[in-house]
Structures are given as structure tokens and as C-alpha cells.
Amino acid sequence: LYFPDSSILLSFVIPAYNEEERLPIMLESALDIIHKSQTDIIKLAQTKSQTTAEKIEWIIVSDGSIDRTGEIVKKYATKNTGVWKLVTLHTNSGKGYAVKQGMLRA
């Protein structure tokens, strides 16, 4: 197995097509769950060199979106810790393709 960044504990791959209204709700919910589950995640990490939030990777794949999906991701990336990646596909290629592109970048 190959682990390009062994400091990452958990990667979320989120396909998004014109999700400017729903994306903030989903991200807030996921961030809340992570915050409430930090004790369990810390047990998995077994390290004190980084905070738990810094060990979480968020990969949002904008699948040909023509709304503000990308802007929202950038806003969350500046306001939250962790590794945030925005993958922009210029044409809508479907959820499966978007997930695959996100996984390739995890």
C-alpha cells in the first residue's frame, strides 16, 4: 500500500454539482460530527504532533458546477483547519466520475 501523506487520518470525498445551497448545510453537519467525535479520532491518531482537525482531508469535487460551489469551498477552507482541496471539473461528468477524481487525489 502507498500512503502519500501519512499524516492524514480521514479523507472526505464530496462530489458536488451546483450545490451552493446544500453544501454549507452538509459541511456544517460533518464538521459538527467530527468535533463531537474528536476523542475517538484522537485514539486512532495516537500522536500529538498535529491536532485532530489538521489530520482530516476534505476533497470537494465541483462537477461542472456553474453556481458558487467553488467559492463556498474556498470560504470553508479559510475558516476551518485541515487539508481542503477543491477539484474543479469543467463539465458535468456524473457522480461516479467525480468521486473517482476525488479518490485519486486523496
Side-chain angles (χ1 to χ4, degrees), residues 57 74 84 98:
E57 175 180 55
K74 291 174 186 175
W84 289 78

PDB file of all heavy atoms in Angstrom, residues 57 74 84 98:
ATOM      1  N   GLU A  57      -8.863  15.461   5.822  1.00  0.00           N
ATOM      2  CA  GLU A  57      -8.759  15.997   4.464  1.00  0.00           C
ATOM      3  C   GLU A  57     -10.158  16.080   3.857  1.00  0.00           C
ATOM      4  O   GLU A  57     -10.910  15.114   3.902  1.00  0.00           O
ATOM      5  CB  GLU A  57      -7.873  15.054   3.649  1.00  0.00           C
ATOM      6  CG  GLU A  57      -7.751  15.367   2.196  1.00  0.00           C
ATOM      7  CD  GLU A  57      -6.854  14.362   1.497  1.00  0.00           C
ATOM      8  OE1 GLU A  57      -7.127  13.128   1.592  1.00  0.00           O
ATOM      9  OE2 GLU A  57      -5.892  14.804   0.865  1.00  0.00           O
ATOM     10  N   LYS A  74     -13.898  27.365  -0.898  1.00  0.00           N
ATOM     11  CA  LYS A  74     -12.770  28.242  -0.552  1.00  0.00           C
ATOM     12  C   LYS A  74     -13.022  28.968   0.773  1.00  0.00           C
ATOM     13  O   LYS A  74     -12.111  29.125   1.582  1.00  0.00           O
ATOM     14  CB  LYS A  74     -12.506  29.239  -1.672  1.00  0.00           C
ATOM     15  CG  LYS A  74     -11.951  28.580  -2.917  1.00  0.00           C
ATOM     16  CD  LYS A  74     -11.826  29.570  -4.063  1.00  0.00           C
ATOM     17  CE  LYS A  74     -11.411  28.855  -5.335  1.00  0.00           C
ATOM     18  NZ  LYS A  74     -11.407  29.763  -6.484  1.00  0.00           N
ATOM     19  N   TRP A  84      -7.849  21.116   2.822  1.00  0.00           N
ATOM     20  CA  TRP A  84      -9.013  21.333   1.957  1.00  0.00           C
ATOM     21  C   TRP A  84      -8.554  21.368   0.515  1.00  0.00           C
ATOM     22  O   TRP A  84      -7.636  22.108   0.162  1.00  0.00           O
ATOM     23  CB  TRP A  84      -9.705  22.646   2.316  1.00  0.00           C
ATOM     24  CG  TRP A  84     -10.409  22.581   3.630  1.00  0.00           C
ATOM     25  CD1 TRP A  84      -9.833  22.670   4.866  1.00  0.00           C
ATOM     26  CD2 TRP A  84     -11.788  22.377   3.846  1.00  0.00           C
ATOM     27  NE1 TRP A  84     -10.793  22.540   5.835  1.00  0.00           N
ATOM     28  CE2 TRP A  84     -11.999  22.368   5.243  1.00  0.00           C
ATOM     29  CE3 TRP A  84     -12.887  22.214   2.999  1.00  0.00           C
ATOM     30  CZ2 TRP A  84     -13.268  22.183   5.795  1.00  0.00           C
ATOM     31  CZ3 TRP A  84     -14.139  22.043   3.564  1.00  0.00           C
ATOM     32  CH2 TRP A  84     -14.320  22.028   4.947  1.00  0.00           C
ATOM     33  N   ALA A  98     -16.863  11.957 -10.605  1.00  0.00           N
ATOM     34  CA  ALA A  98     -16.420  12.975  -9.641  1.00  0.00           C
ATOM     35  C   ALA A  98     -15.815  12.317  -8.399  1.00  0.00           C
ATOM     36  O   ALA A  98     -14.773  12.736  -7.907  1.00  0.00           O
ATOM     37  CB  ALA A  98     -17.586  13.883  -9.253  1.00  0.00           C
TER      38      ALA A  98
END
